[in-house]
Amino acid sequence: MKVPKTIRTYCPRCRAHTEQTVTLYKAGRRRGARWGERRHEEKKKGYGGQKYPIQRNKAKTTKKHALKLQCKVCGYTYQKKGIRLKKLEVV
């Protein structure tokens, strides 16, 4: 699916429909020193088998793509709910 670089949609901060730039949401770099990462590693190590189920076969054929919108008037950035698609392209 192709999405235009700018769309005119509702901005929650301006409380009006404004021009907004569209980009694809990209997850940030995972940091091993964070509390969640440390806890996950702690739970995995030691005796007693695997604490989390190992996903052996891939169930879904698509991923959810979230859109990141930035208002051109106020500069407010927010995310649109993820759409399940094989491929999303910002044109």
Side-chain angles (χ1 to χ4, degrees), residues 12-78:
R13 188 181 276 176
C14 296
R15 294 184 182 169
H17 278 71
T18 56
E19 282 281 319
Q20 305 201 12
T21 54
V22 180
T23 50
L24 260 170
Y25 166 78
K26 184 176 170 254
R29 186 172 59 88
R30 291 183 67 164
R31 294 177 293 284
R34 294 295 294 268
W35 164 232
E37 287 284 329
R38 292 199 314 262
R39 184 166 153 260
H40 186 73
E41 288 302 315
E42 197 178 303
K43 278 191 146 191
K44 278 199 320 188
K45 78 176 186 190
Y47 298 110
Q50 181 74 24
K51 296 282 192 289
Y52 300 95
I54 304 166
Q55 191 179 7
R56 299 207 183 272
N57 54 346
K58 198 149 165 63
K60 307 252 185 320
T61 56
T62 57
K63 289 201 180 225
K64 280 190 172 180
H65 296 281
L67 292 177
K68 204 165 81 173
L69 302 170
Q70 185 172 28
C71 180
K72 284 188 174 180
V73 179
C74 65
Y76 183 67
T77 307
Y78 65 101

